[in-house]
Amino acid sequence: MKLLFDLFPVILFFVSFKYSEKNPELAASWVSSLLGSAAVDPKLAPILLATVVVMTATVAQISWVWFRHGKVSKILWVSLVLVLVFGGLTLVFQNESFIKWKLTILDWVFAGGMAFSTLIMKRNAIKSMLGEELKLPDIVWDKLNYSWIAFFFFMGILNLIVAFNFPTDVWVNFKTFGSMGLMLLFMLIQGVLLSKYLEEEK
C-alpha cells in the first residue's frame, strides 16, 4: 500500500499522458484554460497536462504526509522542489525538455548527496539507513554505498539518453516502468550478493 502511495504522482502522470495522447485536442483545451494561454500545440498537450497533474499530485501527496505525520522526509521535499521548478518551466515555456531533466537531476542529487556524505562527512549513507537491520563488514558497506552512488549517476545519464533520443511516449514509459524496473533489478542483484552475509549471521 505504501508503495502505491509513493508512486501516486508517477501513476497519475502516466495515466494523464496516455489519456491525453488519445485526446490531444481536448487536452490542449484543458491546458489552455489552466494556463490562461491563447493556444496550446496539441502535440505538446499530453506532456503539458501530465506535468500539471504530477505537480498537483506531488503537492497533495506531501500535504497528506504532513497532515498525517507532522513531518516530511528530505527526499520528498527535494522531489517537490524539483517537480515544481522543472514542471513550472515546462509549462511557462511549453517545452517538454525541462520536465525530462527533472528525473536526471533527482538521480544526481541522490548520487551527489551520498558522495558528499561519504567523502566529506565520512559517513556511509546506506549504513546509516540500514545499519540497524543488517550487520555487514565495513568493506561491504562501502561497496554497497558506492554501488548506489554509481547506480543513481548511471540512471541520470540513461534518462537523458532515452529522453532526448526517443519519442516522448517512449520516455514516459521508461520513466514509469523502465526506471522502476531497473531499480528493482538492481536491488534484487544486491540482495543475492548480500545473502551469504545474512546466512553467516544466522
Side-chain angles (χ1 to χ4, degrees):
M1 194 69 180
K2 184 180 184 302
L3 179 61
L4 288 176
F5 178 76
D6 291 341
L7 295 177
F8 172 68
V10 176
I11 293 172
L12 290 185
F13 178 87
F14 176 79
V15 171
S16 59
F17 180 87
K18 292 301 180 181
Y19 176 82
S20 300
E21 264 193 321
K22 296 179 180 180
N23 304 275
E25 298 293 341
L26 180 59
S29 176
W30 286 348
V31 174
S32 179
S33 299
L34 289 170
L35 301 181
S37 176
V40 171
D41 186 349
K43 294 180 180 179
L44 287 175
I47 194 66
L48 294 180
L49 184 60
T51 297
V52 172
V53 169
V54 76
M55 291 170 68
T56 304
T58 303
V59 171
Q61 179 189 52
I62 291 182
S63 298
W64 172 253
V65 172
W66 179 270
F67 172 78
R68 190 71 184 272
H69 303 287
K71 63 179 181 179
V72 178
S73 68
K74 293 180 180 179
I75 293 177
L76 283 180
W77 281 125
V78 170
S79 180
L80 175 64
V81 170
L82 290 178
V83 79
L84 291 181
V85 170
F86 286 91
L89 291 173
T90 298
L91 298 176
V92 169
F93 295 102
Q94 295 192 23
N95 186 333
E96 62 187 22
S97 297
F98 292 107
I99 197 63
K100 289 180 176 180
W101 265 96
K102 181 261 177 183
L103 184 58
T104 287
I105 298 300
L106 183 61
D107 284 333
W108 286 353
V109 165
F110 289 155
M114 293 176 66
F116 178 83
S117 177
T118 301
L119 300 175
I120 306 301
M121 300 182 67
K122 307 301 180 183
R123 179 184 178 188
N124 188 307
I126 297 298
K127 185 177 182 180
S128 297
M129 291 186 290
L130 302 177
E132 294 184 2
E133 287 77 21
L134 296 174
K135 302 300 180 183
L136 302 171
D138 287 339
I139 189 172
V140 176
W141 280 118
D142 290 339
K143 290 181 179 179
L144 195 62
N145 194 58
Y146 283 118
S147 68
W148 273 104
I149 293 173
F151 175 76
F152 282 124
F153 183 73
F154 165 76
M155 288 301 295
I157 294 176
L158 182 59
N159 177 65
L160 293 181
I161 292 173
V162 176
F164 296 104
N165 291 279
F166 295 90
T168 300
D169 63 319
V170 173
W171 173 76
V172 170
N173 291 334
F174 168 78
K175 170 182 168 61
T176 308
F177 302 107
S179 180
M180 182 59 65
L182 288 173
M183 179 173 287
L184 291 176
L185 177 61
F186 180 70
M187 293 172 66
L188 178 62
I189 292 173
Q190 286 196 329
V192 172
L193 295 176
L194 292 175
S195 61
K196 66 175 183 178
Y197 295 102
L198 299 179
E199 291 174 359
E200 288 175 1
E201 184 181 345
K202 290 181 181 179

